[in-house]
Every structure is written in C-alpha cells, then in structure tokens.
Amino acid sequence: MAAFDVAARGLSIVSGATLASGSFTNSGTDRAIFAWCVCGDAARRQPTTVKWNTTESFQLIGAIDVGSFRNLSLWRILNPTVATATVVADWGTAVGERMMVLQAITGVNQITSHNQNSQATGTGLTLSSTPNTVSGNLVIDGVYYLESGGPTNQTLTAGAGQTSRQKIDGADFDGAQGMGTSTETAAGSTTVMSWTLNAGATDSWGS
C-alpha cells in the first residue's frame, strides 16, 4: 500500500535556469518521487529536465497552463536510488521566479504508479479538483496560485481529510503566489482535493 515518506520544496525569486529542492533522504521499497514545478515566464516554460541525485531523470506526467504566464507541470521518477540528495529542475535557459514542491512515496506500484491524473484551473480563494479514485488508495495533489492584487501574504490551507505535506505561502516567496502538496486516503470512487486561501483576490490557480 502506498504511503507518504518525505516532502521537500525549492524556491528562488532570482532569475536563473535551474532550481534545487532542499536536501532530503528517501527510504522504503517500491519508491517514487512526484514533483510539481512552476516558473514565472511569459513563454509558459516547463523544465527540460528534472533529476534526482544529479543523474536520475524524472518523466513528465502532465502540465497545465495557469493564468496568462504560468505553467504547472508534474514530474515523476520510479524506483529512485535511496540517498540524501536534491531534486533539480532545469529549464535550459534563464527564467524568472521558480518554485517546486515534491513528495517521496513508498509502496508504489512500479508498473501502474498512478490511476488518475486529474487537472483543474480556476479563479478565487478555493482551489479544488476531483480525481477518480479507488477506495483505500493514496491520493496526492499539487496546487499553485497567483494573486492579481499584489502581495498580501495569503495563507494556504489544505481541505478537510487532507494532510498538508509541504507548501510555499505567506511571505515564503513574494507574498503573491505559492504552492502546496497534500495526501488523503480515498474513501470512494472520487476524492475532492481542495485548498483555501484566507484573503486577497486570487487571479488564477491550477492543480
């Protein structure tokens, strides 16, 4: 049965081509790491590569445009080496502000690692998607938001039944955008994965 192992994040407001997560140690068997990446670039650029421990490559699982200038992409690596290391996303060229959140998971089916990749976008203070699920399975999510009214240091809170594993919010970055990732054990054929922001006028979000 899949279970949460560890989470990490990375963020930089200074222009650059790469972004590294904080160092963490993965463990367990039937391992996987899932990473969500965003950069502030008018071309909606996705990383060209995402790697664990310098050389082990992730696979792009899905991507969605958020607002006018952002793209949220999901990357996955199966059976990564057990190590104390970082995840590094490389955009191949200098881009604006960059951020990522990630989760390492154990007990992952190495043939069919995920049953459903659900995507959603919207505006407002509630960020929500409803993937098809299998009761008892682990559901993971990643979200990104951008506030149009300028920095108000919004607080991002995971919905009922979810466990927040890592996030970037408040004054962590520039006060106007952030990310989060959480887990929940499915209880039925669909599972609502939602987050709320406490204030401001969010321009756009994606999950």
Side-chain angles (χ1 to χ4, degrees), residues 32-145:
I33 304 173
F34 295 85
W36 292 262
C37 301
V38 173
C39 83
D41 186 277
R44 300 183 188 272
R45 298 182 191 275
Q46 301 164 11
T48 56
T49 63
V50 177
K51 294 186 178 182
W52 165 247
N53 198 21
T54 307
T55 60
E56 300 176 40
S57 295
F58 282 65
Q59 175 187 0
L60 177 63
I61 298 300
I64 190 168
D65 289 338
V66 181
S68 300
F69 303 109
R70 304 296 194 271
N71 181 277
L72 173 65
S73 57
L74 169 60
W75 299 75
R76 179 208 64 199
I77 184 172
L78 295 175
N79 198 30
T81 300
V82 172
T84 299
T86 62
V87 171
V88 176
D90 189 339
W91 278 264
T93 188
V95 293
E97 63 265 24
R98 303 168 310 290
M99 62 178 75
M100 75 165 77
V101 291
L102 61 90
Q103 291 194 46
I105 304 294
T106 63
V108 175
N109 187 315
Q110 300 291 295
I111 304 300
T112 307
S113 66
H114 60 287
N115 294 322
Q116 176 79 9
N117 181 24
S118 175
Q119 298 178 337
T121 59
T123 59
L125 300 181
T126 300
L127 298 64
S128 179
S129 64
T130 307
N132 295 326
T133 55
V134 176
S135 183
N137 279 8
L138 185 70
V139 184
I140 64 174
D141 78 330
V143 298
Y144 166 79
Y145 70 88

